[in-house]
Amino acid sequence: MKTETEELKSTEQLREKWMKPEVITGSEILLRSLLLEGVECVFGYPGGAVLYIYDALYGFKDFHHLLTRHEQGAIHAADGYARASGKVGVCIATSGPGATNLVTGIATAYMDSVPLVVITGNVHQSLIGTDAFQEADITGITMPITKHSYLVRDVKDLPRIIHEAFHIANSGRKGPVLIDIPKDVSAATTLFEPAKVMNLRGYNPTVAPNRLQLDKVAAAIQEASQPVILAGGGVVYSGGHEELLQFAETTEIPVTTTLLGLGGFPSGNRLWMGMPGMHGTYTANNAIQQSDLLICIGARFDDRVTGKLDGFAPKAKIVHIDIDPAEIGKNVHTDIPVVGDVKTVLEQLNKLIKRADKADAWRDQIQQWKAEKPFKYKDSNDSLKPQWVIEMLNETTHGEAIVTTDVGQHQMWTAQYYKFNQPRSWITSGGLGTMGFGFPSAIGAQMAHPDRLVISINGDGGMQMCSQELAICAINKIPVKIVVINNQVLGMVRQWQELIYENRYSHIDLSGSPDFVKLAEAYGVKGLRATNKEDAQAVWREALETPGPVLVEFVVDKQENVYPMVTQGSTIDQMLMGDCE
C-alpha cells in the first residue's frame, strides 16, 4: 500500500506526463485536459461523431469511463456524482439524438445549480447547417439551460476551452457548461500546450460580501423578536454547513431547510424546524408566516416554498444572502440584500453577530409547535405504509446513508421521514422535478463514494424511466441498494386529482408495470419484495447484508397521501393536514 507521500509523488509524475508538450489529436487533448482538471470518472455513450474520442479511450486507464445504457442515464449519473462529491460531473454523448437525450439532464442540473461539463460530438464542420445525418444545433437548443456553451472550431482552442468550462461550471452560481466538438476537431492534430492562464473578461462572480450589508444583518438580528433562518442548497454547494451551524447556535435563531438544503443543517439539532413549503412542517410554515425577520441563505424563494407570493412572510423584514445577484428581489422583495458566497458571508457574519436576545418567547413557541404538530400518519398492520418504510430505512441506517430519490410522493416522504445529518447525503431533483433522475444519480453518487451506503428510493413510475441502468450496476458490481415504493399508480398526480380535481382519476394507473423483482433478476441484480412489515424488515436486512446491488420492492397502500399539503393559490400556513388533523 502506498504512503501519502508516495501517492503525491505518483500524482505529480502523472501530471508531468499529462502536461508534456506533444503533437497529439484533439481527442487526446480532451482526455489529457480532463485529467489535469482532476477528473476521475466520466459517464458516456458512444456514437459516430465521438468515435475519435472513444478511439482515444481504447485501453485508457487514467480515469474510469462508465458506459451507461442511455444518454439520460449518463447525465443523471454525472449529476449525482457532482452533488455527492462537490466536484464537476462529466458526461459524453454523440451528436444529434445522443446530444438531445441529454437535454433533460442539463435542465435538471441548471435548475439545481449543479456543476457539470457536458461534452457532445458534432458532425464535421463542413456539414454543419446542411441537415447532415445526426446533426443537431445542441448549443442553440441548450442555450437557456447552460451557464455557457462552446462550439469548438479549432483544435488549438481545446485546452483553453476545457479549462474555462470547468472554472465556469464550478464557480459563482454553479451549473452545467456544454462543449460541442465537431468530428474534424477531435481528429485534428496540434501541439498540446496545457492551459495555464484564466482570463475571462466579464465573468467575475462576487465572493466577498459588502461589510455595510453585514452590519445591517447583525443589527436586524438584535432588533428581531421572531427571527427565522431559511437555508437552501447554496449552503451545501458552498460548503458552508459548519458556518451555518455556528451562525444558528450563536444567534439561537430557528432554522428551516428547503428541499435541496436538507443535510445542510443537522436534523437532530434543537433549532431545526424541518422543511418548509408545500409539504413542509406545520412548525416551519407557521414560523415563516409569523416571523418578523426572515434570513434567506442560499435559497431562491421557489414557488413550492413560498406558496401564494403576496401572502408570503407578510410581517417579515427579508434578508437574502446569495451568490447570484439575479435571484435577489426576483420573487420576494428584499430589505437587506447580501451578494456573496454563502460560506464566505457566514464566516464574516459570525464575527459580528450575537444572540437574538428578544426572541426567547419565540423559541418557546417554536418548541411548542414542534411538540404538538409533528409529521403524522395512520399506521396499519394490514398493509405497508410508505412513511413506515422510510422510517425503517432511516432507523436501520442511522440516517448516515447517501439517499437519492426520484420525483413524486416517495420523494416527499423521504424528505419528511429520513433524517439527514450530513451535507451531500441527500440527492434529488428539486427545481425541474425530473422523473427518471433517482436511480442513475445514485450510480453517480456511489462512484463518488464507493465505500458508503447509497440508497436509491424510487416510485414505480420513475423507476421505469431509467431501469435499463440496472445493467451497469450488475456488470460493474456497483452496490446501490435500490428501493421501489410501489403503489401501482402515479401517486402525486393521483393525490392532486383526488384533492383538487374532485376524484377524476385520469390516466394514472400503473398496474401494468413489470414484476420489478424479475426485472432486476433479468439484469443480474438480486430482487426482493415485501408486502407487510415483517417481510419488509427481513428483506431490507437481507439487502444490507448482500454485497453488490439489490433491488427491494415495497408494495404499499395505493390510497396514501402526502401531508401536510399546501394547495396552489394558498399561503403556506393554510395547510391540509389529512386524516391525522
Side-chain angles (χ1 to χ4, degrees), residues 32-253:
R32 283 200 192 183
S33 297
L34 293 178
L35 289 167
L36 291 171
E37 296 296 337
V39 171
E40 298 170 337
C41 185
V42 172
F43 306 86
Y45 201 97
V50 289
L51 281 181
Y52 287 114
I53 295 171
Y54 274 86
D55 187 52
L57 275 168
Y58 182 77
F60 190 84
K61 296 181 179 178
D62 287 336
F63 62 67
H64 190 73
H65 176 279
L66 199 68
L67 172 65
T68 59
R69 292 301 180 265
H70 193 288
E71 290 89 354
Q72 188 167 337
I75 193 162
H76 289 332
D79 186 316
Y81 178 92
R83 297 191 202 218
S85 68
K87 300 176 182 178
V88 178
V90 182
C91 65
I92 301 175
T94 193
S95 63
T100 58
N101 277 344
L102 299 174
V103 170
T104 298
I106 295 171
T108 300
Y110 184 76
M111 288 284 280
D112 289 352
S113 304
V114 178
L116 298 182
V117 168
V118 180
I119 299 160
T120 56
N122 210 329
V123 299
H124 195 287
Q125 289 188 78
S126 64
L127 297 174
I128 290 177
T130 68
D131 291 333
F133 178 68
Q134 291 193 332
E135 180 193 358
D137 178 11
I138 194 62
T139 56
I141 290 168
T142 60
M143 189 175 292
I145 54 170
T146 53
K147 273 192 78 175
H148 193 61
S149 59
Y150 296 91
L151 172 59
V152 186
R153 294 288 192 176
D154 191 328
V155 68
K156 294 177 182 177
D157 294 332
L158 257 179
R160 172 187 59 81
I161 286 172
I162 294 163
H163 191 45
E164 288 178 2
F166 275 81
H167 174 70
I168 293 169
N170 208 29
S171 60
R173 181 176 180 173
K174 303 172 195 284
V177 176
L178 184 134
I179 305 174
D180 196 31
I181 307 175
K183 195 169 183 179
D184 54 307
V185 173
S186 61
T189 58
T190 191
L191 179 66
F192 171 61
E193 294 180 299
K196 297 177 182 177
V197 179
M198 183 68 63
N199 183 22
L200 290 173
R201 288 196 331 176
Y203 180 72
N204 188 24
T206 300
V207 174
N210 182 297
R211 171 59 191 264
L212 292 176
Q213 297 302 98
L214 299 187
D215 290 338
K216 291 178 183 178
V217 176
I221 291 170
Q222 292 307 301
E223 295 169 3
S225 58
Q226 297 183 175
V228 168
I229 295 169
L230 171 63
V235 172
V236 175
Y237 299 152
S238 71
H241 52 284
E242 292 180 355
E243 288 75 15
L244 174 63
L245 180 61
Q246 181 184 344
F247 180 75
E249 291 193 330
T250 300
T251 59
E252 292 191 32
I253 297 176

Side-chain angles (χ1 to χ4, degrees), residues 345-364:
V345 171
L346 290 177
E347 283 175 345
Q348 296 188 21
L349 259 179
N350 284 338
K351 299 174 184 177
L352 305 174
I353 54 172
K354 295 183 292 185
R355 184 178 184 272
D357 286 330
K358 295 182 180 180
D360 285 338
W362 178 240
R363 295 180 187 98
D364 292 341

Side-chain angles (χ1 to χ4, degrees), residues 367-447:
Q367 295 306 319
Q368 182 179 339
W369 282 336
K370 286 171 68 174
E372 292 176 353
K373 299 282 188 176
F375 286 130
K376 294 179 182 178
Y377 64 96
K378 284 188 176 179
D379 202 2
S380 170
N381 290 320
D382 300 322
S383 63
L384 265 183
K385 290 298 181 93
Q387 302 95 322
W388 182 89
V389 172
I390 304 301
E391 286 183 318
M392 181 193 69
L393 301 182
N394 178 64
E395 290 166 6
T396 54
T397 61
H398 310 291
E400 295 299 320
I402 295 175
V403 176
T404 79
T405 74
D406 212 85
V407 171
Q409 286 182 311
H410 69 277
Q411 177 191 32
M412 293 298 106
W413 285 317
T414 306
Q416 290 177 339
Y417 290 96
Y418 198 95
K419 303 306 179 186
F420 298 94
N421 293 311
Q422 298 179 42
R424 300 194 181 278
S425 57
W426 163 247
I427 296 170
T428 198
S429 172
L432 199 65
T434 303
M435 289 182 70
F437 172 84
F439 174 39
S441 69
I443 293 170
Q446 190 76 80
M447 295 301 291

